[in-house]
Amino acid sequence: MNFDPNQQDESSGMRPAIAMQLFTAILGQNAHPIDRLAARCAAADGVQWSSEILARNGSAPNSVDGWLALKNLVKSGIDESRLHSGDPTALEAFFQYISAIAGALAVDGTLITKISPAEIRRALNIIGPLTEPSCRERFSKALFQLDQITDSGSPN
Amino acid sequence: MSSTSESPTPSRVFPETQTLWISDRLSEGDSGLLLANGYLMASYVRPLTSYCRTIGLARSIRMEADDVVHGFFANRLGNAEYLKSWMSSELRLRQWLRNGLHMYVHEQRRAKAGHAGGHAGGQAGADAGTVGLPDEVPSMGAAHDREFERAWALSTLDLAMRETKDGLEKRGRLDEWEMFWSHHVDGVAHARIGERFQLSAAQVAQRAYAVGAQLRDSLCGILRKDGALIGEIDKEVRSMMEVLHELRS
């Protein structure tokens, strides 16, 4: 099912992107970080937001080691409690973290995290379509690689 | 939504087993039935109409979606037994109404086919499928389920939002809604919002949090009337988010 998260729903007048933000506000501390990140990316300025964060890292690494180094670097900026309260800095770090995992996966199918493939797939599925085109493409390649991992039953 | 504000959900007063709002209304006789029907119309017409239009259910009987859904409610809601039968169904009210809508469309299709057959003169049984009987909507299973759940999630949240805003407006505190919206939807920091309202960041955070809690209460009330238990609210909200997330499935 494909629909634009910023397309107004004809019956309720509610945009799915706004709905995601409101649901996150309703869940408060209980909102899952992936949902929180998706809500941020789905905001009106979400594409620009994600694009600016990625630009801060400079050019994208082209090796798994490069992505691994980036992942470890940004991971230190993720404060769990601040992430659960929707702190913008923690959310930025979390986005960089997911992007680094996607980058490694897109390069050669290496999953540089202990997070379950199902959880990574969910993050790629939800957040990927809400980012700028080059990032979206990376998330899409990563998703394809992740499907190969799952299909073959081994991580490489 | 006057019906919900006039008859608050008794979820905080009574044990879980006695909190079915519609059950309480039906026990009040005709006046309660009227309230329950008003609530159903206000809450379920929009998602059912959207669903009916999107999956081609209305088109299948050559009617407008609005007319089909209003016809369905007019046909069913006059009888208190109809809602009573929901309570023994173990389905969420929205799912039960959706099933009922499909049944109603099926009845309409048969009626139209019978009518067309009558005009054809004795060929009703043989020709109904090709001459008078409009096409059935092919079952799309999970895709149709998701479409309905998506319409339900958006219209329910919209309803909760309007209830919350109306409540704040009545108390002359609509600026608190603006604080909530600026922070959670527009992503503006509490401190910046505070500058606009001459409040500290902490005061804005407190007000925005309180509005979020009121929105949650409104949504909770709607979900409870739909048949969810109090302990299931977070799970319900998460599944509503999940269906909105399904951009690529």
Side-chain angles (χ1 to χ4, degrees), chain A residues 1-2 10 30 35 122 143, chain B residues 53 242 245 247-249:
Chain A
M1 181 172 296
N2 286 298
E10 64 177 64
N30 293 330
D35 293 329
R122 186 168 177 271
L143 205 54
Chain B
R53 185 179 297 123
E242 203 61 46
H245 284 329
L247 301 170
R248 298 190 45 191
S249 60

Side-chain angles (χ1 to χ4, degrees), chain A residues 22-126:
Chain A
L22 293 175
F23 279 133
T24 306
I26 287 167
L27 285 173
Q29 296 269 342
N30 293 330
H32 192 286
I34 291 174
D35 293 329
R36 205 173 268 289
L37 184 53
R40 182 64 192 86
C41 288
D45 67 340
V47 172
Q48 188 191 343
W49 178 82
S50 59
S51 168
E52 284 172 4
I53 290 168
L54 293 177
R56 264 184 243 154
N57 294 335
S59 57
N62 50 20
S63 69
V64 171
D65 286 345
W67 285 114
L68 181 61
L70 180 62
K71 186 207 77 165
N72 290 336
L73 180 72
V74 297
K75 194 178 177 184
S76 60
I78 305 174
D79 179 322
E80 284 278 337
S81 62
R82 294 178 75 182
L83 183 61
H84 280 281
S85 66
D87 177 77
T89 313
L91 216 51
E92 285 177 20
F94 186 59
F95 177 63
Q96 289 177 313
Y97 181 69
I98 297 290
S99 301
I101 292 167
L105 266 169
V107 170
D108 75 353
T110 300
L111 189 54
I112 55 171
T113 176
K114 288 176 184 168
I115 300 173
S116 77
E119 193 78 344
I120 297 297
R121 175 178 287 103
R122 186 168 177 271
L124 297 173
N125 250 327
I126 293 173

Side-chain angles (χ1 to χ4, degrees), chain B residues 159-168 177 211 214-215 218:
Chain B
L159 192 62
M161 196 172 87
R162 283 188 285 126
E163 275 186 17
T164 306
K165 271 180 85 172
D166 287 352
L168 286 166
W177 176 263
V211 173
Q214 288 165 55
L215 181 61
S218 288

